[in-house]
Amino acid sequence: MSVQPEPGAARAENVGDAVPPPTRGALPRPRLWELLDGDARLTVLRAPTGFGKSTLLRQWAHRLGHGDDRLVWIDGDDPGDRRRVATAADEPTVLVWDHFDTIADGAALEAELLDALRRNPAFRLILAARSASHFPDALRLELRMTTIRSRDLAFQRAELQRLFSLAGAPLDPQRLEQLDRLAQGWPKPMSELAMLLASEPDEAERLDGALAGIARRFLSEEVVPTFATLADPSWIDFVLASAVPSWVSASLARTITDDAHAGARLDELAAQVMLTVSTEGGERAYRWPGIMRTALLDTLRSRDPARLQRLHERAAAWFDAHGHAAEALENAHTAQDWPGVVRVVERHWSTLMYENFAETRTALRDAPASVVATSIAAAAIRDIFLLRWRVGDELLLDAARGSRLSDPAWMMSLPIQDWEQTITDATAVMIALRTRGEMPLARRFADSADALLNSWLGAAAEPGLSLPSATLHAMLQVGVTRMFADDHDGAVESLRRTYRFSPRTPGDPSAPNAAVKTALASALVGDAVQTEQWLARGDDDSVEVWPPGTVRMQRMIAAAIAAIERGDAASARALLGQLENRTPGEYIWETAYVYARSRYDLVWGDRRLGLRELARERERLARWFAPGSTLGPLLDAAEAELFIALGLGTRASTLLAGATHARLLVPRARLAVLTGQDEEVVRLTTAGLTDAGLTARDQTQLQSLQAVAQARLGERRLAAGILADALTSTDATGARLGIAAAPRTELLDLAAEHGLGERLAAVMDGLPEFFPRSVDVILLTARERTVLHELANGRTIREIADASFLSQNTIKSQLRSLYMKLGASSRERAVALAHQHRLLDDARYEEA
């Protein structure tokens, strides 16, 4: 047997007129000709109508040269041709049989042909059929057999490109990709579309509509007539109903159609290779090809729109009950069953929000707010999406403020069977409030959920306890909320517990996700050792959570902060450089990056530029720096230290005035050291070092600053002991930046006196000295501040005196003192200098 090189090659004489001519303009398909040219004794083309089985066989037969071989072509159930079968089966023959499905006695003929294949090694059979019931693939164990299926016959991208080019209607890669997605390479609709675009080029601008029209015509002319000829007219109704869900199982088909024979019907459709079969949740799942499903839905919509809606509602209920969240939401949304949409979101939001973000957002956007309000969990997820659209309303906040989900006692009074849903609801609200920047309220929900989680763990305590994924997710979100709601110890406890109970299954993100977030919590308190240990546990780039890239971003932020605290400028700079192109997920993670950036600028960067960037980020992310947040006071501390590093002591003093938050003790003590207020340093550091909530970084910094102050006060032995403690703290946390931020010369002198020189030098090695040896501060009395504010408001001396019940002479005396401290000679200059030094600003953060 020889194969001619081109499609137009002369056919063998003995092919004769029995072989129909190739379809005019059909795309040459060399890759499929090679399969037919092979040495298989039996070749079966098995695919639905419209996949080009006949076209391919005609092309192949007309380009084939057989020499002495004889080719016999039979089309369907032709009695005249059937008489030639017996003779052909005993000769060196290639028998090509198209439309084998139409044969009345197919089973008997199939047995006869198989017997001929076994008897005559020179006999070769090639046939086309839709049904999988003829010549099953198991025959390959006995015969050399090739099966060419619909996936083989489907046009590949390169073939599509050539098809449209040959038709004179070339398409760009984006359009080709669109077509490939819509039609999945189905040859007949694609060929008709190519001819349509060749005659009507403007249709290229409406590819979806043009293809849909072709699909509907194909359905009405090719598919529906197949079922219309059957004795049972319910076939058409069943076929239309089976296309309503994106996939259908026997159980689902029975539910939506009330057809007891649904499973058998699906198997018959699959046998005719109209449906593809896969597995979903342990069941056989049947799917219509995309373009066919679209055409069937269009037909059903035009015939009976009310039935289409009922079918979607039934499908939504079935999918919901069987845990298929995305499919349940899709069908409820399509049916505009808004209570159904809310019910699905309430039950499955943790899956939908992370795996089906766009679909969930759209469904909640379309659902009436009055219906969403019936579920606080759905209201919470809707609120998250509203904030991403930069819009919002008070629906969630009103519900959250009055919700009993923030009451631990009420939560624990519920029956155990309600705990999982209750925790899930509280978690949704917690995330939404965190997304809003409502940290104190979010923390209340976190504490309430945690109380119920503790009860759950206590009730189910046993070795090897495995928690449901929803419970693990709640535990993780409690930890994240506490991390950003100023509860470091509670955050670490929840996150470590999440890690401990998470499965260690390859590909499961729970454990590495919890590890990375624990690393970030450790980084925010300056513990580089703990940060790096947890990063090692979470070092899995395959972990994917929503939004994509979030865990990677968190890992890089934690690593950057740890590198900064260790004094590793190169690593910190590289990590921060990569983070400049980050894609934010929940904006709260952005605040941690802003903090890392400001810490880097303090030591190695452009501090003035850093201050400007910090001001810009404060405005952009203001809601996440509000009172009750973790990052608000941390950034206040970072800003104050940038002022101090630039010698702007008055600006730092103004920022810190009246602030009592624990995170601001360090810059207050540092400013006191650099302005010579040693007794104030001892007072502040002593109070801070006895605080149970003291962080690792703050402990080292307070110890080093206290050591300097005590040495200045003459308590050098005591100071040396405190310095030794600071060095021990540095060894434990790996955070060199804390001790290096104290006045270096004084620390080095103290260390040299008491045998700590080498230890301290090792800590200081390679670190720049980024604070000046002293700074000036304009210190105003409370009365002077009041007078300054009155001046800035345009009040006269008489008005200020009357308002304060003081004499004008007293006010004039205070003004002279104020002018002298400011270095001003006039009211206008005093106000200008006050603005320059930020003396008119109020402190932003107090103890939460």
Side-chain angles (χ1 to χ4, degrees), residues 223-241:
V223 178
V224 171
T226 302
F227 298 104
T229 60
L230 298 177
D232 183 356
S234 66
W235 260 108
I236 293 179
D237 288 340
F238 180 83
V239 167
L240 294 173

Side-chain angles (χ1 to χ4, degrees), residues 446-708:
D447 292 344
S448 182
D450 192 53
L452 194 53
L453 285 167
N454 286 332
S455 295
W456 192 333
L457 291 173
E462 59 182 64
L465 174 65
S466 177
L467 296 179
S469 59
T471 306
L472 279 173
H473 183 245
M475 200 179 291
L476 179 79
Q477 295 302 331
V478 166
V480 172
T481 301
R482 286 172 164 172
M483 185 198 314
F484 289 100
D486 210 14
D487 180 11
H488 168 73
D489 292 343
V492 170
E493 178 187 359
S494 295
L495 293 171
R496 287 181 174 179
R497 186 171 59 186
T498 306
Y499 180 83
R500 185 168 70 251
F501 286 117
S502 292
R504 299 302 192 269
T505 308
D508 189 300
S510 303
N513 190 15
V516 168
K517 288 173 171 60
T518 309
L520 185 54
S522 301
L524 290 174
V525 298
D527 193 330
V529 170
Q530 284 292 313
T531 300
E532 289 160 0
Q533 288 177 355
W534 282 102
L535 283 176
R537 294 183 179 121
D539 188 15
D540 183 356
D541 286 333
S542 68
V543 169
E544 271 298 332
V545 299
W546 175 87
T550 300
V551 173
R552 180 173 178 271
M553 180 180 76
Q554 294 161 5
R555 185 187 295 118
M556 292 170 67
I557 293 172
I561 296 174
I564 292 166
E565 298 301 336
R566 282 196 179 277
D568 183 353
S571 296
R573 185 163 50 250
L575 287 162
L576 291 172
Q578 294 179 62
L579 284 163
E580 285 179 357
N581 297 319
R582 67 202 175 279
T583 301
E586 201 178 332
Y587 280 96
I588 198 166
W589 303 107
E590 289 277 276
T591 63
Y593 166 77
V594 173
Y595 171 69
R597 181 80 250 180
S598 64
R599 288 288 286 172
Y600 178 87
D601 289 339
L602 172 67
V603 186
W604 299 285
D606 183 330
R607 293 168 191 150
R608 291 189 183 277
L609 178 60
L611 279 170
R612 289 197 294 273
E613 285 293 309
L614 187 53
R616 184 178 66 83
E617 296 291 0
R618 273 190 183 282
E619 182 177 357
R620 183 173 73 91
L621 302 169
R623 70 174 59 170
W624 295 284
F625 298 136
S629 73
T630 297
L631 271 297
L634 276 179
L635 281 186
D636 257 3
E639 184 177 6
E641 296 198 323
L642 282 167
F643 284 139
I644 295 170
L646 288 166
L648 303 174
T650 302
R651 297 280 294 274
S653 177
T654 303
L655 176 63
L656 297 169
T660 59
H661 195 284
R663 298 292 85 76
L664 299 174
L665 273 177
V666 169
R668 289 172 64 195
R670 193 181 322 285
L671 188 60
V673 162
L674 299 181
T675 54
Q677 302 176 72
D678 299 321
E679 291 182 354
E680 175 67 3
V681 174
V682 173
R683 185 188 71 79
L684 289 172
T685 55
T686 300
L689 289 167
T690 57
D691 190 325
L694 185 67
T695 67
R697 178 184 51 250
D698 290 352
Q699 176 177 319
T700 305
Q701 294 188 94
L702 290 175
Q703 286 170 329
S704 60
L705 292 170
Q706 188 180 54
V708 170

Side-chain angles (χ1 to χ4, degrees), residues 362-376:
T362 303
L364 288 175
R365 180 194 62 196
D366 295 345
S370 59
V371 180
V372 178
T374 61
S375 164
I376 194 169

